[in-house]
Amino acid sequence: MNIICADRASMPSLSNIEAFVRAAEQGDFTRAARKLQLTASAVSRRIARLEEELGVVLFQRTTRAMQLTEDGRAFYSRCQHILGELEAAKESLSRSRHRPVGVLRVNAPQAIGQLVLMPALPRFLAAHPGVELRLTLRDEVVDPITEGADVLLRMGALEDSRLVARKLGTTRLLACAAPAYLRRHGLPETAADLSRHNCLGFLRGDTPAAWLLQDGSSPARTEPRGNFHTNQGATLRDAAVLGLGIAMLFDFMVARELESGALVPVLDAQTGAPRPIHALYPRGRHLSSRVRVFLDFVATLFPR
């Protein structure tokens, strides 16, 4: 039997295969037609086309009955499996629309991942037990298509037009320090005063990132000079809480510390403008239910 050897271009259509399987199950074109909500002649035509495509006879027809030929029986066994797999796939997809399941790959900056996502993730995972979250924390911009990410969380201006953006909220950088540090060293009133303070920098590579402040009506670029710098936002926040110096941190990173008084803002009027926070995903990609529920969840974590 050479049915399975047919090339891709001559592969039979699923509608013809389904007509054949239902006719084989029912033993009659008329009953098969009722199952498929077609006419008996339409079923007969589909099976005739299938036989023509395959180059074999599938049914032995007589005036009283029809029976599968040897080729028909072999083909029927294969087609049952194919249609069964197709039905299982449809059912699985239907279930996933209502109950999110599967792997969800999320890429986020370290600060957002550690200080915003992680405290809230138990709630998300408990609500969606079928989702397996794979969270990668990287501060550098990545290509979601190359990386295979479903969702990227990013702060600041957007550049990649291939991505669909959903705005989650805004954040701004604040210079802040512990009250104990300020009692020892005094409160800076201008950007120029920072030269007399221990400034804790966020490392990009091996160099602390510059601070951009307002000095009157002009922007002032200040290199943080101090005795401690790190590439971990949570560690930088902790260093400021311990009284090591002044740190420049995003407001969502220090919200609890500002509320409790563990940190206080300095130079508040001189820090930078708000930055948008977006959830990004590749343009043209169908949104699965697990992506959709994650986007709705993460939108609740940032003030608008």
Side-chain angles (χ1 to χ4, degrees):
M1 179 179 176
N2 60 2
I3 294 171
I4 308 305
C5 297
D7 61 30
R8 236 176 242 278
S10 61
M11 287 289 284
S13 71
L14 280 173
S15 59
N16 294 348
I17 289 174
E18 187 177 20
F20 161 70
V21 169
R22 300 303 171 230
E25 289 172 346
Q26 300 298 318
D28 180 88
F29 285 176
T30 301
R31 288 195 294 270
R34 283 198 292 268
K35 286 279 186 182
L36 295 170
Q37 296 184 325
L38 297 171
T39 64
S41 59
V43 171
S44 179
R45 284 194 300 272
R46 289 187 180 186
I47 293 173
R49 281 197 296 269
L50 182 61
E51 290 177 323
E52 184 178 352
E53 290 168 349
L54 299 174
V56 298
V57 175
L58 298 172
F59 287 105
Q60 190 69 48
R61 301 167 180 84
T62 67
T63 55
R64 292 188 175 184
M66 65 178 197
Q67 293 182 332
L68 286 169
T69 63
E70 184 179 347
D71 284 341
R73 284 193 296 273
F75 191 56
Y76 172 66
S77 177
R78 297 287 186 91
C79 290
Q80 273 187 312
H81 177 73
I82 291 170
L83 292 182
E85 288 293 316
L86 183 60
E87 282 301 313
K90 287 179 179 178
E91 289 176 10
S92 176
L93 184 59
S94 177
R95 286 196 303 271
S96 71
R97 288 196 188 107
H98 298 92
R99 187 176 70 87
V101 296
V103 174
L104 175 65
R105 295 175 176 85
V106 177
N107 185 290
Q110 293 184 43
I112 287 180
Q114 292 172 339
L115 302 176
V116 179
L117 287 183
M118 282 308 302
L121 277 183
R123 175 163 51 93
F124 174 78
L125 295 174
H128 307 290
V131 174
E132 177 187 335
L133 180 63
R134 299 184 183 179
L135 177 62
T136 302
L137 302 182
R138 293 170 64 179
D139 289 321
E140 63 270 22
V141 177
V142 301
D143 184 334
I145 298 172
T146 303
E147 295 285 325
D150 298 302
V151 180
L152 278 75
L153 302 183
R154 283 294 173 265
M155 294 183 289
L158 302 178
E159 296 179 358
D160 196 333
S161 61
R162 298 173 304 162
L163 305 179
V164 178
R166 176 172 172 177
K167 188 174 180 180
L168 303 175
T170 59
T171 186
R172 62 189 290 251
L173 283 164
L174 298 176
C176 50
Y181 172 85
L182 296 175
R183 284 195 295 271
R184 293 194 306 270
H185 300 280
L187 183 69
E189 296 181 358
T190 68
D193 291 344
L194 291 174
S195 62
R196 299 190 296 273
H197 282 269
N198 197 48
C199 296
L200 314 177
F202 181 82
L203 289 175
R204 294 198 182 280
D206 195 44
T207 305
W211 294 1
L212 298 178
L213 303 168
Q214 283 295 122
D215 192 359
S217 60
S218 303
R221 181 183 176 90
T222 301
E223 304 293 336
R225 302 190 183 280
N227 61 8
F228 179 76
H229 310 293
T230 179
N231 68 338
Q232 294 286 331
T235 303
L236 187 62
R237 177 202 59 189
D238 293 345
V241 170
L242 291 171
L244 295 188
I246 298 174
M248 186 75 77
L249 297 158
F250 288 107
D251 54 9
F252 66 79
M253 300 172 64
V254 293
R256 284 177 295 182
E257 288 72 21
L258 292 174
E259 185 176 356
S260 69
L263 291 174
V264 295
V266 300
L267 301 174
D268 188 45
Q270 300 185 48
T271 51
R275 303 185 187 189
I277 303 172
H278 289 93
L280 310 171
Y281 53 91
R283 188 177 298 279
R285 180 176 292 183
H286 173 70
L287 277 186
S288 66
S289 58
R290 58 186 176 273
V291 170
R292 191 172 289 109
V293 296
F294 180 78
L295 292 175
D296 292 341
F297 157 75
V298 80
T300 67
L301 303 182
F302 296 95
R304 288 188 172 273

